[in-house]
Amino acid sequence: KNREEWKEFLEIQKIDRLLISPTAESGLSIDAHGYFDKVIGLFYGVIGIDSLLQMLGRLRDRKVPADIWIRERSVRIDKR
C-alpha cells in the first residue's frame, strides 16, 4: 500500500495499535507517516540484531520514537 492507502485503511478501521510477529521481518511496509506516535519493541527468545532492526523498521515514519525491551537471555523450559 502507498502512504495514502495506509492512512485511509488505518483511519477507516480505527486502528490505534498494531501488533506484529516475527513473520513481519520482511514483506511488510507500513508507510503511514504522522499516524502512530510510538513504536514499542518487546523481544523474547533468540533473535538476531538484523531481524530485530528489520521488524522495528516496518513503520517507515522515522520521526516516531521507539522504546525497545530485549530479554537478556532466552528462556528454556525443561519439559520432563
Side-chain angles (χ1 to χ4, degrees), residues 2-30:
N2 67 34
R3 188 175 297 180
E4 291 305 314
E5 289 173 324
W6 264 113
K7 203 159 195 172
E8 182 181 354
F9 170 77
L10 295 168
E11 289 171 354
I12 289 171
Q13 299 300 322
K14 297 181 178 12
I15 294 174
D16 62 352
R17 292 173 186 90
L18 186 61
L19 302 175
I20 62 172
S21 73
T23 59
E25 180 182 340
S26 63
L28 176 65
S29 179
I30 304 168

Side-chain angles (χ1 to χ4, degrees), residues 4-74:
E4 291 305 314
E5 289 173 324
W6 264 113
K7 203 159 195 172
E8 182 181 354
F9 170 77
L10 295 168
E11 289 171 354
I12 289 171
Q13 299 300 322
K14 297 181 178 12
I15 294 174
D16 62 352
R17 292 173 186 90
L18 186 61
L19 302 175
I20 62 172
S21 73
T23 59
E25 180 182 340
S26 63
L28 176 65
S29 179
I30 304 168
D31 197 12
H33 292 251
Y35 189 84
F36 292 105
D37 59 6
K38 184 180 277 193
V39 171
I40 300 173
L42 301 172
F43 297 96
Y44 303 82
V46 178
I47 185 168
I49 189 68
D50 290 339
S51 297
L52 182 147
L53 293 173
Q54 283 291 326
M55 284 185 274
L56 291 173
R58 297 297 96 202
L59 179 62
R60 303 302 187 197
D61 188 350
R62 298 294 179 220
K63 294 180 182 175
V64 177
D67 290 337
I68 304 167
W69 182 87
I70 304 170
R71 186 178 186 101
E72 186 176 342
R73 294 186 174 95
S74 63

